[in-house]
Amino acid sequence: MQHTPHLLRGLNARHIRFIALGSAIGTGLFYGSAAAIQTAGPAVLLAYLLGGAAVFIVMRALGEMAVRNPVSGSFGSYARHYLGPLAGFITGWTYTFEMIIVCLADVTAFGIYMGLWYPDVPRWIWVLSIICFIGAMNLCHVRIFGEMEFWLSLIKVAAIIAMIAAGAGIIFFGFGHAFPATGLDNLWAHGGFAPNGWGGVIASLGIVMFAFGGIEIIGITAAEARDPQKVIPQAINTIPLRIVLFYVCTLLILMAIFPWSSIGQQGSPFVVIFSSLGIPAAANILNIIVISATISAINSDIFGAGRMMYGMAKEGMAPKSFLRIAGNGVPWMTVLVMGAALLVAVILNWLIPEQVFVLIASLAAFATVWVWLMILLSHFAMRRSMTARERESIAFPVPFWPLAPVLTLLFMALVIIVLGTVEATRVALIAGLVWLGLLTVVWYACGLRGRSLNVGSSKL
């Protein structure tokens, strides 16, 4: 009997934890958090805590479904089964769209970072080179991919921890005569803890929630995890600690050392902190770190989008060619498609190098929140379809059911409203609604409903 290539379970708990870190902690933390700080002031810490709590409930809902049935399509498959084929189609392709545009932003950022060392080299050359490199890595065995992601993520995790330790030393002890101890007064000395009022905190939610985008890749890794019933809960349960450590502690340190109104105006605060410690090569060290962070994020996003397309192809919602798998268990066609899509970044960086980063990054916020909404709705529908005995035997239940998921659902709706009312993010909502409309038109125009029904609903 001929052996049919299939996805391999080569990811362990260490890989999955750092794949999630790689996707969720990228250039947004190093540079993008300045916009959220300028909107809310020090009270942005509350926005990150509130947003982090909502993301944790979303991930627990996804974890409950993933542990029950770890499939390659993850939340796209769950939406199709519990909410209907159209919902699955829109969710799967919206996640793929999210990953593509985030990758476009990150490969553009890579070109910007390389410009520090090679200012005379056109940016599009660096963009093309990183696309080829990451594409080659994603064609390797999934275990090799997991190892690379582990080490790349470890670099930026170590850098963040070093920054927190150095910043804490400056806050409480100072560093020489040039940098006296600052204490925590900067958190309320410049207009108060919430200088722009609570309206500023609410307005920052769109930026804050986008910063967490990508963490849902944990659900996608379940199909290739060696022991998903064990490693998925372990990875998800560490999310609160990661949010407090990598987002809240980092921003608290920055705003305690520097007045919140000055953050982002004097270059990267990471460079300033390391320079204050007498490290002359701070700019070069940080550049290495953010390049590692960018490569890590691109790596994870290509992995997630490729596996989502593979899962949708199995259910008749994507071309059958996406089902092609190499002998090492890698869906090579989806990797090539992602690489081809990212070539758009090469063209944009050649035509409009100055405007491209902001243009691309503003499109991902709506897609991120939409995917989380569909995860929550799928989870509600799954619970409703279960018998009382099945609900009692859930291996990894959402805490505080049903209150926590309901409050999280309302919170996500608030974020979408904020996207539409804040002028800076309104374009993201408009673009998102246009995208959903286009997907609906494609669904009916191409007769995908009949094709998906012919595939049949798998038992979840």
Side-chain angles (χ1 to χ4, degrees), residues 14-370:
R14 173 172 57 90
H15 294 149
I16 290 174
R17 287 196 191 101
F18 279 84
I19 287 173
L21 279 175
S23 188
I25 300 179
T27 54
L29 177 62
F30 289 97
Y31 290 111
S33 55
I37 292 173
Q38 294 303 319
T39 303
V44 75
L45 297 174
L46 299 179
Y48 274 96
L49 285 172
L50 185 61
V55 170
F56 177 62
I57 296 299
V58 172
M59 292 308 302
R60 284 296 298 259
L62 177 58
E64 182 178 315
M65 294 186 288
V67 168
R68 189 165 183 252
N69 186 41
V71 296
S72 55
S74 189
F75 41 85
S77 296
Y78 305 141
R80 173 183 178 271
H81 184 82
Y82 296 116
L83 301 176
L86 177 58
F89 176 77
I90 292 177
T91 300
W93 280 110
T94 299
Y95 174 75
T96 303
F97 172 73
E98 174 196 348
M99 291 298 97
I100 289 175
I101 56 181
V102 170
C103 279
L104 289 176
D106 282 334
V107 296
T108 299
F110 176 82
I112 295 172
Y113 299 149
M114 292 302 294
L116 175 70
W117 296 324
Y118 305 98
D120 297 328
V121 177
R123 190 189 301 170
W124 67 266
I125 293 179
W126 296 117
V127 173
L128 180 61
S129 65
I130 194 59
I131 291 173
C132 293
F133 174 73
I134 295 294
M137 287 306 305
N138 272 267
L139 291 174
C140 296
H141 190 284
V142 68
R143 184 178 64 253
I144 298 175
F145 162 81
E147 282 298 321
M148 177 186 176
E149 190 58 29
F150 169 77
W151 290 107
L152 286 172
S153 295
L154 188 61
I155 292 174
K156 64 183 172 188
V157 168
I160 294 171
I161 293 175
M163 194 285 296
I164 291 174
I170 291 173
I171 290 172
F172 297 109
F173 306 108
F175 193 84
H177 298 291
F179 221 126
T182 60
L184 300 174
D185 290 349
N186 277 332
L187 293 177
W188 50 79
H190 303 277
F193 184 68
N196 296 327
W198 298 111
V201 177
I202 295 174
S204 71
L205 288 177
I207 306 170
V208 168
M209 298 310 290
F210 172 66
F212 294 126
I215 202 168
E216 64 276 0
I217 197 174
I218 291 177
I220 294 178
T221 61
E224 292 169 87
R226 290 176 183 169
D227 185 2
Q229 283 72 27
K230 179 181 178 181
V231 301
I232 296 301
Q234 287 178 348
I236 290 176
N237 283 336
T238 61
I239 287 175
L241 177 62
R242 294 205 298 265
I243 288 172
V244 170
L245 179 62
F246 297 121
Y247 287 95
V248 178
C249 285
T250 300
L251 297 185
L252 187 150
I253 291 289
L254 293 179
M255 290 186 291
I257 294 177
F258 308 102
W260 66 269
S261 56
S262 68
I263 292 179
Q265 298 180 2
Q266 305 296 326
S268 169
F270 283 75
V271 173
V272 177
I273 288 178
F274 288 135
S275 298
S276 302
L277 295 177
I279 303 176
N284 289 325
I285 293 174
L286 180 72
N287 214 40
I288 293 172
I289 292 169
V290 295
I291 285 174
S292 300
T294 302
I295 294 175
S296 170
I298 299 168
N299 207 26
S300 293
D301 293 342
I302 289 181
F303 174 89
R307 268 48 175 190
M308 178 61 73
M309 287 189 284
Y310 172 81
M312 287 191 296
K314 290 180 66 176
E315 298 179 347
M317 297 185 179
K320 290 296 182 185
S321 59
F322 289 179
L323 291 174
R324 296 176 183 173
I325 295 181
N328 62 355
V330 174
W332 60 270
M333 179 59 77
T334 62
V335 174
L336 293 183
V337 170
M338 279 296 295
L342 291 182
L343 291 178
V344 173
V346 180
I347 298 173
L348 291 175
N349 276 277
W350 178 45
L351 296 176
I352 49 171
E354 300 304 321
Q355 299 90 354
V356 61
F357 188 84
V358 175
L359 173 68
I360 295 170
S362 64
L363 295 175
F366 179 85
T368 300
V369 177
W370 173 267

Side-chain angles (χ1 to χ4, degrees), residues 338-405:
M338 279 296 295
L342 291 182
L343 291 178
V344 173
V346 180
I347 298 173
L348 291 175
N349 276 277
W350 178 45
L351 296 176
I352 49 171
E354 300 304 321
Q355 299 90 354
V356 61
F357 188 84
V358 175
L359 173 68
I360 295 170
S362 64
L363 295 175
F366 179 85
T368 300
V369 177
W370 173 267
V371 167
W372 291 341
L373 270 174
M374 299 309 290
I375 290 173
L376 288 169
L377 293 175
S378 299
H379 179 255
F380 275 109
M382 182 196 75
R383 283 283 191 123
R384 196 165 52 243
S385 69
M386 298 170 68
T387 65
R389 171 172 284 186
E390 286 175 330
R391 285 194 288 268
E392 290 174 0
S393 62
I394 294 174
F396 188 51
V398 170
F400 308 111
W401 168 269
L403 180 61

